[in-house]
Amino acid sequence: MGHSPLLFVVAGAALSYILYTRITLYLARQRFKKENGCQPCMAQFHKDPILGLDVVKVMSYNSKQHITLQENRKHFQKLGNTFHSRIIATPLIATCEPENIKTILSLKFKDYGFGHRQPAFTPLLGHGIFNAEGERWANSRHLLRPNFARDQIADLDAFERHVKWMLKHIPRDGSTVDLQALFFRLTIDTATEFLFNHSTNSLRTVGQDEENNEDAIFSQAFNFALDDITIRARNGPLDRFRKNEEGEQAIKICHAYIEKFVDDALRFREELDAEKMAGSAENEKYYFIQEVAKQTTDKKRIREELINILLAGRDTTASLLSNMFFEIAQKPHIYAKLRDEVATLGGRTPTYEELRNLKYLKWCMNESLRTHPVVPINSRIAVRDTVLPRGGGPSGQAPLFVPKDTMVGYFIHVMHRRYDIYGDDADEYRPERWESLRPGWEYLPFNGGPRICLGQQYALTEAGYVTVRLVQEFALMESRDPEEWSEGLTLTLCSLNGVKVGLTPA
Ligand code: HEM
């Protein structure tokens, strides 16, 4: 009992300390808000103020029904362009305001991070560019960026080889084919060739026994691991209690497959170094993996960077093509206009320059990325107290205080369909609108600021090339989708039921 007074003193001191820090923080925040002219956000989505369980319930229902995007839009229409919410105790600010998105991604880039997505991404991706922050990220970006220069991404011959295989799978008697399934095979074949200097060639094995084919096993494991990331992200901290042997196995297969190519690249580097010493090194053809291996010999590092780019680049381009052809197949006049433009090539395959000059093609791709942005929802976490320029006060036009550890979700799909930005026909797929449209931050399919997509030109070159070749080979395209487009939303957005069309040869 003799210790009691001391205990009281310690407890009292601790309590005073907590009170003191709380009060100082409160006062500092009041001052910060005043200095920045912040006003409180009047719109609130959640009803459960502590855990936001009602939000989780709504999100999970919408996701199961494949109506996440349309429902999000309704919330914004009801609550305004910026509102407060809460997901399992994490405070959330949701916004579809271009000025806010510019602030998060560019003006106050350093005030935000995405540590929240790392537990779901790290098992497959390690600490590669897509999953890294701070110095490590800057270093990855510096390492990889030169590989996206024009000369590297303009290898249209490689695209042509794979497109030829794809064309073989399109019936010429007008019977129905799912283009989306072919696009996903095409982009894993081209991306693996670009990155590893070895293609999965999955288009060559369509319909064959893929059980003993290493490349096919990898493709399947990679698809599985990607879907699994979405589940990991959705479960959050609870995921550690899930038994997931198949997911772990898929990741192992992916890593082992890529490491073989890393070994090859490092061997190549040793040979090159030896040749250089002997003065006999020649200018080799460019290969992505070999260029990375010239910068670092860290095997794990190379593997991690490559798998990150495969993730960033594969589903995205396939989804752009799928979403675009879903729309075009339903609008024969757009297909006809594309054919007219492509006819200027006189039946030849295009050069890189010619491809870039096809204006209507570019409009079609821009418009698809507007109505169906491949990354429709994204988020960051505030790493310090900060401020957004919009969302405060009754009009939502005043600055808004963002406390440290708040998640800020930015809703590209909702922004791309705002009537006040794109007009009353914002929901309509109409490439012609790009004749006069010059949007800034209100159009953001590839992100903006220091972490803007590295593969934008690569993606547009590939999608453009594939489109030209399809349009050259087929005079007509008819939609065979029995229903409207519905969302297939995992990490990226494609069509839930594929893209079923019938084609008439030219
Ligand atoms: C239509 C196709 C594509 C779209 C819409 C797209 C979109 C995006 C978006 C929104 C981000 C930002 C993600 C974030 O920070 O949260 C991103 C990042 C990235 N993208 Fe793309 N992407 C596409 C194709 C590609 C391709 C083909 C490649 C590579 C071959 C690629 C490589 C990357 C990389 C490396 C990053 C990470 C950049 C960084 O964090 O510094 N992307 N992309």
Side-chain angles (χ1 to χ4, degrees):
M1 293 309 278
H3 293 301
S4 296
L6 184 61
L7 210 65
F8 274 124
V9 173
V10 172
L15 204 67
S16 315
Y17 178 73
I18 291 171
L19 259 171
Y20 171 76
T21 49
R22 283 282 160 94
I23 292 169
T24 351
L25 180 66
Y26 175 79
L27 291 175
R29 283 184 165 170
Q30 288 304 103
R31 213 170 34 242
F32 182 83
K33 285 186 206 172
K34 201 163 163 219
E35 276 163 14
N36 288 287
C38 296
Q39 291 186 29
C41 179
M42 311 304 252
Q44 186 167 303
F45 178 66
H46 58 287
K47 294 196 180 79
D48 174 348
I50 297 166
L51 288 177
L53 288 178
D54 54 325
V55 181
V56 177
K57 214 167 131 196
V58 170
M59 278 171 56
S60 142
Y61 176 82
N62 292 347
S63 162
K64 282 194 192 116
Q65 299 298 315
H66 308 288
I67 53 171
T68 296
L69 299 180
Q70 68 197 60
E71 289 301 305
N72 283 345
R73 197 155 170 236
K74 285 185 201 155
H75 303 321
F76 279 99
Q77 282 166 347
K78 200 169 122 205
L79 295 167
N81 294 331
T82 302
F83 59 85
H84 261 296
S85 188
R86 187 167 265 286
I87 309 176
I88 321 184
T90 303
L92 169 78
I93 293 175
T95 189
C96 65
E97 196 70 88
E99 281 301 313
N100 282 349
I101 300 179
K102 178 164 81 178
T103 303
I104 302 160
L105 298 179
S106 180
L107 301 179
K108 299 200 174 196
F109 175 71
K110 292 215 163 124
D111 288 355
Y112 295 92
F114 50 49
H116 58 302
R117 77 185 189 196
Q118 281 175 343
F121 282 62
T122 304
L124 179 68
L125 298 182
H127 302 284
I129 183 162
F130 203 75
N131 199 34
E133 297 191 86
E135 278 294 301
R136 171 75 197 224
W137 161 77
N139 188 279
S140 292
R141 186 123 182 149
H142 182 73
L143 175 74
L144 298 171
R145 199 186 167 84
N147 297 299
F148 289 94
R150 181 197 174 287
D151 290 351
Q152 272 76 297
I153 59 165
D155 186 2
L156 301 185
D157 293 345
F159 291 145
E160 177 61 23
R161 276 197 305 281
H162 296 288
V163 167
K164 276 217 172 79
W165 276 97
M166 186 184 81
L167 292 171
K168 285 187 191 174
H169 296 294
I170 300 183
R172 303 187 78 84
D173 61 358
S175 51
T176 302
V177 61
D178 179 5
L179 285 182
Q180 181 163 288
L182 293 178
F183 291 149
F184 272 76
R185 284 189 181 248
L186 177 80
T187 56
I188 198 160
D189 289 354
T190 51
T192 45
E193 177 158 333
F194 174 62
L195 294 172
F196 311 149
N197 190 19
H198 172 100
S199 174
T200 40
N201 282 327
S202 70
L203 279 165
R204 299 185 194 188
T205 51
V206 176
Q208 291 176 18
D209 169 21
E210 294 186 330
E211 240 167 59
N212 298 313
N213 178 329
E214 253 197 337
D215 298 319
I217 293 171
F218 165 72
S219 302
Q220 283 157 14
F222 187 63
N223 289 341
F224 190 93
L226 284 190
D227 289 344
D228 198 50
I229 287 186
T230 318
I231 302 171
R232 285 174 197 260
R234 205 174 293 152
N235 290 347
L238 299 179
D239 194 67
R240 75 190 65 185
F241 303 113
R242 179 170 62 115
K243 201 160 162 269
N244 184 18
E245 274 167 24
E246 222 179 333
E248 302 302 328
Q249 182 61 16
I251 290 173
K252 270 202 198 120
I253 294 173
C254 292
H255 289 178
Y257 180 84
I258 298 176
E259 262 165 29
K260 275 189 325 204
F261 305 121
V262 177
D263 286 337
D264 286 349
L266 287 173
R267 221 169 296 127
F268 159 84
R269 177 193 159 135
E270 272 171 27
E271 285 164 18
L272 194 74
D273 287 348
E275 282 171 21
K276 268 193 204 144
M277 295 276 281
S280 61
E282 285 171 25
N283 260 348
E284 284 269 335
K285 184 178 171 340
Y286 152 89
Y287 291 113
F288 197 112
I289 193 168
Q290 292 174 355
E291 291 304 312
V292 181
K294 283 181 195 164
Q295 309 295 322
T296 171
T297 51
D298 182 341
K299 203 167 144 178
K300 182 159 167 270
R301 175 82 196 261
I302 304 176
R303 188 247 286 155
E304 288 184 351
E305 295 299 358
L306 289 176
I307 199 161
N308 273 255
I309 302 176
L310 187 62
L311 164 117
R314 184 276 174 113
D315 283 14
T316 44
T317 311
S319 301
L320 160 60
L321 279 163
S322 303
N323 294 329
M324 180 169 77
F325 275 103
F326 192 101
E327 290 287 348
I328 293 180
Q330 295 184 335
K331 299 180 177 64
H333 65 282
I334 295 181
Y335 194 83
K337 255 177 126 167
L338 261 178
R339 254 182 81 76
D340 283 348
E341 184 176 69
V342 167
T344 56
L345 298 168
R348 282 179 303 104
T349 57
T351 63
Y352 184 74
E353 284 311 319
E354 284 169 335
L355 195 59
R356 284 182 69 95
N357 289 332
L358 297 174
K359 215 165 61 183
Y360 194 67
L361 170 66
K362 175 96 179 127
W363 294 355
C364 287
M365 293 193 287
N366 287 352
E367 184 68 344
S368 175
L369 289 168
R370 185 186 69 79
T371 55
H372 298 95
V374 166
V375 184
I377 307 169
N378 210 332
S379 63
R380 297 290 191 257
I381 291 247
V383 293
R384 59 178 67 95
D385 285 357
T386 182
V387 59
L388 287 172
R390 301 267 187 282
S395 67
Q397 293 303 303
L400 179 65
F401 176 61
V402 183
K404 178 175 183 283
D405 296 328
T406 302
M407 185 187 289
V408 184
Y410 55 101
F411 291 71
I412 301 294
H413 173 264
V414 179
M415 177 171 78
H416 282 183
R417 288 178 179 234
R418 273 176 58 172
Y419 298 130
D420 59 335
I421 298 177
Y422 290 97
D424 293 343
D425 68 350
D427 288 316
E428 200 186 316
Y429 180 83
R430 192 169 63 80
E432 286 71 15
R433 76 174 77 237
W434 286 88
E435 184 151 21
S436 55
L437 211 57
R438 298 286 173 275
W441 283 84
E442 54 275 17
Y443 178 71
L444 215 61
F446 292 102
N447 229 42
R451 296 196 79 139
I452 193 169
C453 173
L454 263 182
Q456 174 169 350
Q457 282 318 317
Y458 179 96
L460 294 174
T461 306
E462 176 165 24
Y465 190 85
V466 174
T467 304
V468 168
R469 296 293 291 114
L470 262 177
V471 167
Q472 283 178 325
E473 291 286 316
F474 297 96
L476 295 171
M477 179 181 284
E478 181 191 292
S479 171
R480 301 272 168 79
D481 284 294
E483 288 170 41
E484 299 219 320
W485 185 91
S486 62
E487 71 179 38
L489 182 59
T490 50
L491 285 179
T492 51
L493 174 70
C494 64
S495 158
L496 181 66
N497 301 312
V499 179
K500 315 267 174 34
V501 299
L503 289 144
T504 311

